Amino acid sequence: MLDFLSQSWPWYVAGPLIGLTVPALLLVGNKALGISSSLRHICAACVPAGIPFLTYNWRAQAWNLWFVLGIALGGFLGYRVLGHPATVAISAATVHDLRTQLHLTDFSGLLPRELFSLDNLANWKGWVFLVLGGFLVGFGTRYAGGCTSGHAISGLSNLQWVSLVAVVGFFAGGLVMTWFIYPLLFS
Amino acid sequence: MKNLKYLVLGTLFGIILTKSEVVSWFRIQEMFRFQAFHMYGVIGSAIVMGMVSIQLIKRYHLRTLNGEEIQLADKQFSPGVWIGGFLFGLGWALTGACPGPLFAQLGSGVPTAAVMILAALAGTWTYSALRERLP
């Protein structure tokens, strides 16, 4: 059991458990799974600046902030306490692509240090991957009305065609970045 | 403390995200390059499980622990679903993380997650400020 907990979990264990979060939140308190809303609540709590979209009773949505705090705690427990393999076991083809196209050499940890280090804020990589990337995540999810959890999992589970449109958009953006913009960035 | 249950559910959710490595930039790249089934399996089976659960809730008119009727709001369409979805996709492939994994990364001790979360907050704030002028 401990062995299982310390290794990475296969998709057929993790996926159904993630899916069960949808009914769990509904049954426990009539809440719809959706994580990007927490970003809006934090903005509304900290810098509403008189913006109508940020002027609402965010305290009524405090559950969402507790849920997100839990996710951070889960990240600590899942990675630091339960343990983790030294490298994420991605396919050999991906390793090959990342080596040859993105010139990565260090495959340890959850994300490549060569792209994700605070020192990189001194050059374009940090600003593109950390700042522009993060900005697009926050801007895009709110504009689309949800992220992977709210649209892909919660929305599609409830057969929302709007969520299907959103998910097609997510993938289109991801594919354009990976297949067309990455090669330009690393050419 | 009525919010404790959400903290507990969030913690379990964060553990699952972390243990299945969907919080890893490497896994997201592998997904967008169609080089493994892992991410598709995780997302696909999560949707199937959610779908079956919601059908059961509807069919048996299940209620919340407090006996309330379960409410499922319909998602509203706007051009932003396309445009915003696409912009998020660009960011997803850069950061290798959607909002949930960003928080899980922060907890797992990735210092750059803090920068990405701050940038995501700036993005959400900017959208909020420009909202009336966007299509």
Side-chain angles (χ1 to χ4, degrees):
Chain A
M1 186 67 188
L2 267 177
D3 249 16
F4 173 78
L5 288 176
S6 67
Q7 283 160 7
S8 54
W9 297 354
W11 64 266
Y12 50 83
V13 172
L17 288 173
I18 291 173
L20 281 177
T21 313
V22 173
L25 283 171
L26 285 170
L27 293 170
V28 149
N30 233 345
K31 307 298 184 205
L33 172 66
I35 295 164
S36 60
S37 304
S38 66
L39 299 170
R40 181 185 176 196
H41 303 326
I42 297 171
C43 286
C46 301
V47 209
I51 297 167
F53 191 65
L54 296 178
T55 309
Y56 60 96
N57 182 16
W58 60 270
R59 283 187 180 81
Q61 307 292 327
W63 76 271
N64 196 265
L65 299 173
W66 286 95
F67 187 77
V68 157
L69 184 65
I71 294 178
L73 189 59
F76 173 74
L77 293 173
Y79 199 72
R80 298 285 162 191
V81 178
L82 294 179
H84 57 88
T87 54
V88 175
I90 49 171
S91 73
T94 312
V95 171
H96 175 264
D97 282 4
L98 297 177
R99 267 190 209 286
T100 52
Q101 296 166 18
L102 275 61
H103 318 299
L104 297 183
T105 55
D106 184 352
F107 287 80
S108 62
L110 289 171
L111 29 170
R113 292 201 181 89
E114 285 143 303
L115 299 175
F116 294 88
S117 77
L118 294 176
D119 296 342
N120 270 355
L121 285 171
N123 63 52
W124 68 269
K125 279 183 192 160
W127 285 88
V128 169
F129 281 87
L130 302 176
V131 179
L132 178 64
F135 187 91
L136 286 169
V137 168
F139 189 97
T141 51
R142 199 71 275 117
Y143 197 4
C147 59
T148 329
S149 59
H151 270 311
I153 294 171
S154 199
L156 290 184
S157 289
N158 191 27
L159 310 174
Q160 299 291 302
W161 68 272
V162 173
S163 294
L164 188 60
V165 173
V167 173
V168 170
F170 299 169
F171 262 82
L175 294 177
V176 165
M177 178 56 70
T178 301
W179 291 87
F180 299 105
I181 305 180
Y182 268 17
L184 295 176
L185 289 175
F186 292 93
S187 62
Chain B
M1 226 196 68
K2 66 182 169 63
N3 283 317
L4 186 66
K5 48 188 186 278
Y6 302 112
L7 182 71
V8 172
L9 281 175
T11 305
L12 293 172
F13 193 78
I15 291 175
I16 303 160
L17 290 183
T18 308
K19 294 310 300 183
S20 58
E21 297 175 337
V22 306
V23 302
S24 165
W25 180 92
F26 294 110
R27 285 284 183 204
I28 304 301
Q29 271 300 298
E30 188 184 53
M31 170 180 78
F32 283 131
R33 291 168 188 272
F34 304 107
Q35 286 163 333
F37 182 71
H38 184 80
M39 285 299 303
Y40 296 98
V42 171
I43 298 175
S45 59
I47 294 169
V48 170
M49 184 58 95
M51 224 178 252
V52 170
S53 308
I54 288 183
Q55 289 310 312
L56 290 174
I57 286 175
K58 283 182 177 169
R59 172 156 320 168
Y60 295 102
H61 304 287
L62 296 185
R63 289 174 171 266
T64 67
L65 293 180
N66 294 336
E68 289 167 44
E69 205 166 312
I70 288 185
Q71 312 277 345
L72 284 159
D74 283 331
K75 295 266 184 188
Q76 300 299 318
F77 183 77
S78 74
V81 176
W82 271 119
I83 309 167
F86 183 81
L87 294 174
F88 163 54
L90 294 174
W92 191 12
L94 278 174
T95 60
C98 27
L102 284 179
F103 290 104
Q105 285 178 358
L106 185 69
S108 78
V110 173
T112 50
V115 180
M116 291 188 275
I117 290 172
L118 283 175
L121 288 169
T124 298
W125 191 91
T126 306
Y127 165 74
S128 306
L130 297 179
R131 189 165 184 264
E132 268 113 74
R133 275 176 273 168
L134 295 170

